[in-house]
Amino acid sequence: MTSNELTSSDFTDASEPFSLFGTWLKDAEESEVNDPNAVALATVDPDGMPNVRMVLLKGFDERGFAFYTNFESRKGREILATRKAAMCFHWKSLRRQVRLRGPVETVSEEEADEYFRSRPRGSRIGAWASKQSRPLEGRLALEKAVAEFTARYAIGEIPRPEYWSGFRIRPTSIEFWHDRPFRLHDRIEFSRPAPEGGWVKVRMYP
């Protein structure tokens, strides 16, 4: 896909953001080599210093954008303290970007359990073995923890740790960006005062 293939009517005429995001994510699933659902997640610490890292989007609908993590990790603690976060998707193969931000809620226990059960067994063991974001004295310590929990849960289902669950960003703004020649990019932003409100769309200067 070249930067000239999309015209203004291809996406800037969209009336709401979620179906447009779904279309763009589906396009990315066909064109991105690895992890089309990878997204940069931004949070802030108690001093207001930002942190950003890549996570994997594990679900989205009109409620928002969901991902899962250890709530005792740095991002988990920061989100629980502020209840706010931002995301940025960049699909280089498509020359597209989506940014969003808003308040954050925790997913339901049922959603967290369902997703945890869908993970590979090794990943479920890892959720127990890793003290995410905390100092690790050496690789051997992690391997010993993995061996310990592998033995503990050798038979049957592996329960979800109480500290492991999901967050959902309920966006109050979503911006779609597409590369155009000479940096005259197409940008539209959907915004609303609260997650329950209606969307207002504005076309932005590049």
Side-chain angles (χ1 to χ4, degrees):
M1 180 177 291
T2 69
S3 59
N4 286 317
E5 280 189 44
L6 293 182
T7 63
S8 61
S9 62
D10 284 319
F11 79 97
T12 60
D13 290 339
S15 60
E16 62 85 26
F18 292 115
S19 60
L20 177 56
F21 179 84
T23 298
W24 279 25
L25 181 61
K26 184 177 180 180
D27 291 343
E29 290 169 351
E30 296 174 357
S31 68
E32 289 290 308
V33 176
N34 295 308
D35 298 327
N37 59 330
V39 57
L41 172 72
T43 58
V44 294
D45 69 13
D47 297 321
M49 184 65 72
N51 275 312
V52 66
R53 78 288 284 163
M54 301 302 295
V55 300
L56 296 178
L57 180 74
K58 289 301 181 180
F60 88 94
D61 53 29
E62 292 188 355
R63 294 174 299 169
F65 297 75
F67 62 97
Y68 293 82
T69 189
N70 184 325
F71 277 17
E72 296 176 355
S73 67
R74 181 173 290 123
K75 61 181 173 293
R77 296 194 308 271
E78 290 177 355
I79 291 174
L80 290 171
T82 65
R83 294 288 178 167
K84 298 176 182 178
M87 283 180 163
C88 181
F89 297 85
H90 179 232
W91 298 302
K92 189 172 184 178
S93 63
L94 298 173
R95 299 179 181 271
R96 291 173 176 172
Q97 175 180 281
V98 176
R99 296 192 303 156
L100 63 96
R101 62 179 182 167
V104 179
E105 65 182 16
T106 56
V107 304
S108 68
E109 294 291 303
E110 293 76 17
E111 287 176 285
D113 287 339
E114 181 180 2
Y115 175 65
F116 190 77
R117 287 193 297 268
S118 76
R119 305 181 84 207
R121 192 173 184 87
S123 296
R124 283 177 279 166
I125 291 293
W128 283 97
S130 175
K131 300 176 182 180
Q132 193 173 346
S133 300
R134 280 157 286 184
L136 173 64
E137 56 269 32
R139 183 74 186 181
L140 180 59
L142 178 59
E143 292 173 351
K144 287 175 64 177
V146 170
E148 174 190 339
F149 287 103
T150 298
R152 181 181 301 183
Y153 298 117
I155 301 174
E157 284 298 310
I158 302 171
R160 175 175 61 88
E162 291 184 359
Y163 53 78
W164 194 98
S165 187
F167 290 116
R168 178 180 290 108
I169 300 179
R170 304 193 65 200
T172 52
S173 69
I174 306 178
E175 181 191 283
F176 295 82
W177 175 99
H178 176 65
D179 180 57
R180 300 286 280 169
F182 309 114
R183 299 190 181 275
L184 300 177
H185 314 304
D186 282 330
R187 290 174 64 187
I188 56 171
E189 181 185 51
F190 293 88
S191 62
R192 55 186 178 179
E196 296 79 17
W199 294 104
V200 174
K201 183 181 72 174
V202 177
R203 186 157 186 161
M204 311 288 286
Y205 272 98

